[in-house]
Amino acid sequence: MKRIALLGMPNTGKSTLFNRMTGASARVGNWPGITVELLTGKILLGSDMVEVIDLPGIYDLHGFSEDEQVVRHFLHENVPDLALVVLNATQIERQLSLLLQLRQLNLNMVVLLNMADEARKFGITIDAGKMSEALGIPIFLLSAKYGSGYPEALQAATKALRYTTPGMAEQLRDQLEQDEYIESEMARVLQHSVQVPARMSDNLTTQLDRLMLHPWLGLPIFFGIMFLLFQAIFFFGQPLQTGVGMLFTWLHDAALVPLLSSLPDALQGLLLDGIYNGVATVATFVPIIVLFFLFMAIVEDTGYLSRAAFLMDALMAKMGLDGRSFVMLLMGFGCNVPALMGTRVMRSRTLRLLTMLVIPFSLCSARLQVFVFITAALFAPKSAALVLFSLYLLSFASAILTALLFKRFFPSNEPFVLELPPYRFPTLRQMVLRGWHEVHHFVHRATKFIVAGVVLVWLLTHMPPSAAPASADTWAGIVGGWLHPLFAPTGITPELTIALIFGFVAKEIVIGSLAVIYGLSGHALTNELAGQLDWVQAYSFMLFTLIYTPCLSAIATLRSESKNTGFTLVSILWSLSLAWLVSITFYQGARALGY
Amino acid sequence: MPAVALSSLTPGEGATIVAIHTDEPLHQRLLAMGFRTGKHIEVIRKARFSGPLQVRIGTTDILVRKNEAEQIKVRKV
């Protein structure tokens, strides 16, 4: 099958074009010579199926960033039959340098000048014919977003694919050390074919930025937008999640239980409470991921994410992070899983890893459920708000501490120079495709891991078959017994230790597991907890719950996004150690003070 | 007029780039973004708390951190 590689700088609408070409058929895949996965899609072009590959956006073919290396290695190991080079027409006088570098590789090329409509609005006139002549490459004006020029571009690609690639020079780097040549070439090509107005007109972007990046109003507006986003995800997400949960419960009760009733009890438990629950866990994340990325697509595609970086950078740079990390950290307060996936907008790997290390400390909505229940059971209503507020503060404090401690292990080698693209309207198609791709990615990568984890915890809490579920006689109870010397100084009881093992799967099931452990529910459980624990123990348990590993889905995501088991283990071990240290310090401190 | 650091310009001021003294990776990236000696550059705004600068070269707006802008020398026009 012939291969078309999409190449271009960031913010050229390359991915929009890719989505237009491949639609929902795109998948991530591995390639020889590179470690990152690339989106690819198979499409019918003319009468042949061809494979389209979306390469990361790069500024410079001989740059030092990771993406630039990826593209170099990819081109070297997998010479494409056609390079479709996407340039942003509004920045043509700068982007031409990349095209000239690519031309030196002697690839079969077609150039698409994207955002032609926007360039026209800016008063930039481009004579594609003259430019094509000067470069000796076919050039087309295009608007990937609205589709104008798109059929012509596809036709040109089909035609170009008939020719074979001339091949590629062996010594890539040597060829590329020709800056001077490129400069004079740029001047020659631009001279006759492009006219750029001397001064940009005062457009909508400038006016919006005057408000959005206002010295005093900028930050309050940013927090306002974040708050609305957060609320919106939960306003729409919670009912959807509940709906999916109900659907799975209904399927469980109405179909699976009767169907499997003839099987032995232990096998039934394994299938229903183990495997089926694992699948249901994966499913409940689907609506929240779709919604999250619908909204993230808005923030990102409108260009606001770079503005957030501008506003928050002064503070975040001290922690070795940047403004985009902060957006993801905040979104993590809703759900850590999509926030971890969202770090993909950061192209520097070290910056991304550090952000991923920090996000799991965000107090997500599942943990909030645990805290609300325990607080209601152990604290007076008037102090409940204060307790919850203190947990939010500690969540931020753990994140900041982690960033400060670990930043020297993740020095960012990516230069921090970020483009501030003009504000644009995202298209619905783009948003929906983004949500779809992310869900596919999550389900594809995380299902096996999550199901295996849920089954493991089910086995721990239900084996041997002679023991009552979640009791001290189960494997979990035995492990809890071993761990008791470790947990005793934190005030966490053996029953609560078993609940923490459940909590490893998902915080949503912690309260449910307490109900199983004590054999009580609702008010009876509240009273039992209030009788068994004092507030110091309860707060210590909440501290541990807040800081240790958020859930199995978050671990699965950490692993699939970092592609590094060592990093995932460090994240788990660090959060467990910090949780233990904070709990023990609090418990012993409070006891020493006489509480 | 003597050359000064890009970071010393106030918002609204324009200048010509005379030298870029950054390390290799950053230099490479700046070049690709249109930072070349002789080019006109304008500071649009500065973030609070010594945050990044928003600068404009040609049709592109770019964020540069303050300590990086200190390594770019310009001559006011």
Side-chain angles (χ1 to χ4, degrees):
Chain A
M1 197 183 309
K2 292 206 168 177
R3 269 196 296 245
I4 300 181
L6 281 187
L7 278 153
M9 290 197 184
N11 301 313
T12 50
K14 194 169 59 65
S15 299
T16 313
L17 176 69
F18 176 79
N19 280 339
R20 186 169 272 283
M21 289 177 85
T22 60
S25 73
R27 297 284 178 266
V28 288
N30 292 306
W31 291 88
I34 54 172
T35 49
V36 300
E37 291 165 321
L38 300 172
L39 266 178
T40 64
K42 293 188 177 71
I43 59 163
L44 192 67
L45 210 56
S47 55
D48 299 310
M49 284 300 274
V50 294
E51 186 163 33
V52 187
I53 303 125
D54 190 18
L55 291 175
I58 55 164
Y59 287 104
D60 187 355
L61 206 53
H62 36 165
F64 292 83
S65 78
E66 222 188 317
D67 282 343
E68 284 154 352
Q69 284 171 25
V70 163
V71 170
R72 268 205 300 275
H73 288 149
F74 178 88
L75 289 177
H76 204 265
E77 302 284 323
N78 316 274
V79 181
D81 298 286
L82 174 69
L84 215 48
V85 183
V86 186
L87 302 181
N88 179 344
T90 62
Q91 303 177 341
I92 183 67
E93 75 316 348
R94 157 165 92 77
Q95 303 216 336
L96 205 57
S97 64
L98 181 66
L99 176 63
L100 289 168
Q101 290 180 340
L102 286 165
R103 191 178 66 161
Q104 292 183 323
L105 299 181
N106 221 358
L107 290 164
N108 199 4
M109 269 201 294
V110 169
V111 176
L112 305 174
L113 290 180
N114 196 13
M115 304 185 185
D117 43 340
E118 209 172 282
R120 216 168 300 126
K121 257 183 252 161
F122 283 148
I124 299 169
T125 51
I126 302 174
D127 188 331
K130 272 190 184 157
M131 189 181 263
S132 182
E133 216 169 279
L135 283 163
I137 306 170
I139 295 180
F140 293 86
L141 291 170
L142 174 80
S143 167
K145 200 162 144 185
Y146 303 110
S148 69
Y150 179 68
E152 293 84 351
L154 274 194
Q155 240 168 37
T158 317
K159 215 166 110 193
L161 270 178
R162 285 194 212 130
Y163 309 107
T164 48
T165 291
M168 201 161 35
E170 269 303 301
Q171 291 304 320
L172 232 111
R173 266 202 87 84
D174 291 352
Q175 279 245 331
L176 295 171
E177 311 274 318
Q178 297 187 24
D179 270 340
E180 309 237 325
Y181 164 76
I182 282 178
E183 286 227 19
S184 62
E185 255 313 82
M186 268 172 82
R188 183 183 71 85
V189 174
L190 289 170
Q191 196 185 2
H192 297 293
S193 54
V194 177
Q195 274 159 6
V196 180
R199 239 191 106 81
M200 298 294 283
S201 55
D202 195 27
N203 53 29
L204 186 65
T205 292
T206 325
Q207 289 165 18
L208 264 175
D209 271 343
R210 227 168 264 152
L211 178 69
M212 299 300 228
L213 302 180
H214 187 274
W216 293 111
L217 296 176
L219 278 175
I221 290 175
F222 167 69
F223 283 106
I225 290 176
M226 286 297 119
F227 180 74
L228 279 179
L229 216 62
F230 197 75
Q231 289 293 316
I233 291 173
F234 282 90
F235 181 76
F236 297 110
Q238 216 110 56
L240 281 173
Q241 247 180 332
T242 315
V244 171
M246 273 161 58
L247 185 73
F248 271 81
T249 313
W250 174 80
L251 209 63
H252 175 270
D253 297 344
L256 290 173
V257 172
L259 203 70
L260 300 175
S261 59
S262 57
L263 295 173
D265 276 356
L267 189 61
Q268 257 191 60
L270 178 68
L271 287 175
L272 288 174
D273 298 335
I275 295 171
Y276 184 77
N277 266 351
V279 174
T281 307
V282 174
T284 51
F285 277 96
V286 167
I288 215 84
I289 290 175
V290 173
L291 272 175
F292 179 90
F293 282 102
L294 278 183
F295 287 109
M296 269 322 286
I298 301 179
V299 174
E300 213 186 322
D301 294 354
T302 52
Y304 190 66
L305 198 58
S306 321
R307 268 81 188 174
F310 175 81
L311 291 166
M312 290 302 300
D313 190 67
L315 192 67
M316 299 308 282
K318 291 191 182 66
M319 290 184 247
L321 299 168
D322 81 1
R324 292 166 298 174
S325 317
F326 188 74
V327 173
M328 295 307 152
L329 185 66
L330 279 185
M331 291 293 108
F333 280 85
C335 177
N336 294 176
V337 172
L340 287 168
M341 296 166 75
T343 57
R344 238 175 286 147
V345 294
M346 286 172 273
R347 301 307 307 178
S348 154
R349 182 166 167 82
T350 46
L351 179 61
R352 226 193 123 191
L353 288 180
L354 187 60
T355 309
M356 289 203 286
L357 202 60
V358 162
I359 287 173
F361 295 105
S362 297
L363 195 166
C364 65
S365 60
R367 274 175 273 194
L368 187 61
Q369 289 174 26
V370 181
F371 301 151
V372 167
F373 187 88
I374 303 267
T375 309
L378 270 298
F379 291 87
K382 66 172 165 36
S383 54
L386 195 67
V387 169
L388 286 179
F389 184 65
S390 71
L391 288 168
Y392 273 106
L393 281 186
L394 278 161
S395 159
F396 266 111
S398 316
I400 293 170
L401 176 74
T402 303
L404 289 176
L405 283 177
F406 282 88
K407 70 171 178 185
R408 62 199 163 104
F409 301 112
F410 298 97
S412 188
N413 42 16
E414 193 96 345
F416 181 86
V417 266
L418 216 60
E419 243 185 281
L420 220 51
Y423 288 101
R424 298 192 176 102
F425 279 110
T427 61
L428 190 64
R429 183 189 159 85
Q430 188 74 2
M431 285 163 53
V432 171
L433 273 176
R434 176 82 188 273
W436 161 252
H437 282 318
E438 297 292 352
V439 161
H440 184 271
H441 190 79
F442 172 76
V443 171
H444 190 67
R445 302 274 149 197
T447 304
K448 265 184 248 157
F449 192 91
I450 292 171
V451 171
V454 172
V455 168
L456 181 72
V457 171
W458 183 85
L459 286 174
L460 279 176
T461 47
H462 288 78
M463 290 290 130
S466 56
S471 70
D473 303 324
T474 60
W475 291 343
I478 296 167
V479 173
W482 291 341
L483 292 175
H484 188 62
L486 211 58
F487 278 101
T490 64
I492 295 173
T493 62
E495 289 86 359
L496 293 180
T497 311
I498 299 178
L500 287 176
I501 295 177
F502 273 106
F504 206 74
V505 169
K507 295 294 169 288
E508 286 95 336
I509 64 170
V510 167
I511 299 303
S513 73
L514 282 173
V516 176
I517 294 164
Y518 288 107
L520 300 165
S521 64
H523 275 298
L525 180 61
T526 313
N527 291 337
E528 178 69 22
L529 284 177
Q532 285 232 344
L533 308 171
D534 67 356
W535 74 268
V536 181
Q537 277 175 299
Y539 197 77
S540 175
F541 174 70
M542 289 198 286
L543 284 177
F544 199 94
T545 307
L546 169 67
I547 299 170
Y548 89 121
T549 312
C551 63
L552 209 53
S553 307
I555 299 174
T557 311
L558 264 176
R559 206 184 59 125
S560 79
E561 293 295 324
S562 68
K563 296 191 190 61
N564 187 330
T565 312
F567 170 80
T568 312
L569 284 176
V570 165
S571 166
I572 297 170
L573 281 178
W574 163 245
S575 59
L576 281 173
S577 321
L578 185 65
W580 189 77
L581 279 172
V582 169
S583 289
I584 202 169
T585 308
F586 167 78
Y587 185 75
Q588 296 300 335
R591 287 286 186 249
L593 290 172
Y595 287 107
Chain B
M1 272 259 228
V4 292
L6 174 63
S7 52
S8 70
L9 298 190
T10 51
E13 269 188 308
T16 308
I17 301 176
V18 290
I20 299 171
H21 296 300
T22 62
D23 60 355
E24 190 60 18
L26 181 59
H27 192 213
Q28 198 73 254
R29 170 61 56 85
L30 290 173
L31 268 179
M33 289 219 153
F35 286 73
R36 284 160 203 267
T37 49
K39 277 258 190 174
H40 182 77
I41 188 167
E42 189 187 340
V43 174
I44 305 298
R45 58 170 59 83
K46 290 176 165 181
R48 298 196 68 79
F49 316 113
S50 306
L53 288 78
Q54 179 187 350
V55 298
R56 182 170 297 166
I57 295 182
T59 51
T60 313
D61 278 17
I62 298 155
L63 299 186
V64 200
R65 278 187 178 151
K66 190 166 166 279
N67 57 351
E68 278 146 9
E70 278 163 9
Q71 300 163 351
I72 300 168
K73 302 294 173 215
V74 297
R75 191 164 285 133
K76 286 187 206 176
V77 288

